[in-house]
Amino acid sequence: MKKLLMLAVAATLAGQAFAADPIAQRKDVFKQYKPVVGGMGKMVKGETPYNKDEFAKLAGELEALSQKPWQYFPAGSGTGKTDAKPEIWSKPADWQKAVDNHKAATAKLKQVAAGGDLAAIKVQFGATQKTCKACHDAFRKD
């Protein structure tokens, strides 16, 4: 019984430590992007058959994900095992503009995806990816 209690306490503390680590939290959210964007990319490139409903579902997931990681960039979280550049904190207006551009692009992609026009989807998917690249170029160490 004592061992079980110790394991429960250790698990709780480990969970709290993860929850208190904004670097781990933002990395977790960004990891969730990969399968979503990857699935859409395969359809856009013709590597998998285009499925209007599946693409629209993925676009909705991406739009929801685009709201999440930014809260995990508090002041002081630029040190440690992070790929974040200091410009996130030294140029907050530029950072916020990049975040807003990404959110707007994912919202538009969700809207365009609902219409099912693959040509329009390809254009907006490309525009959305450009917001990712712009942010990585300016605010992520490679």
Side-chain angles (χ1 to χ4, degrees):
M1 185 67 163
K2 204 177 211 184
K3 284 184 182 181
L4 185 58
L5 180 60
M6 294 295 281
L7 283 172
V9 168
T12 300
L13 291 174
Q16 289 173 346
F18 179 79
D21 181 2
I23 295 171
Q25 289 172 308
R26 64 188 180 230
K27 284 182 177 184
D28 182 57
V29 174
F30 285 126
K31 283 179 188 174
Q32 294 173 45
Y33 268 66
K34 287 183 180 188
V36 174
V37 173
M40 290 190 300
K42 286 180 181 180
M43 280 190 240
V44 166
K45 293 176 187 173
E47 294 173 8
T48 60
Y50 170 65
N51 178 308
K52 176 187 174 200
D53 294 333
E54 180 62 20
F55 194 94
K57 177 182 166 243
L58 291 170
E61 289 176 21
L62 182 62
E63 192 274 332
L65 281 171
S66 77
Q67 305 301 312
K68 295 181 179 184
W70 323 116
Q71 65 185 320
Y72 302 120
F73 286 90
S77 67
T79 59
K81 291 189 174 191
T82 181
D83 294 325
K85 286 184 178 178
E87 286 82 353
I88 290 172
W89 298 277
S90 67
K91 298 180 179 179
D94 293 346
W95 167 248
Q96 190 59 55
K97 183 178 178 182
V99 169
D100 291 344
N101 288 345
H102 179 63
K103 288 179 179 181
T106 60
K108 187 170 181 183
L109 179 61
K110 179 181 174 183
Q111 179 184 14
V112 171
D117 178 353
L118 185 55
I121 288 169
K122 287 180 179 183
V123 170
Q124 186 54 41
F125 183 75
T128 302
Q129 284 192 309
K130 285 180 182 176
T131 67
C132 296
K133 182 176 178 357
C135 195
H136 282 218
D137 288 349
F139 300 106
R140 185 173 189 259
K141 299 174 196 170
D142 285 326

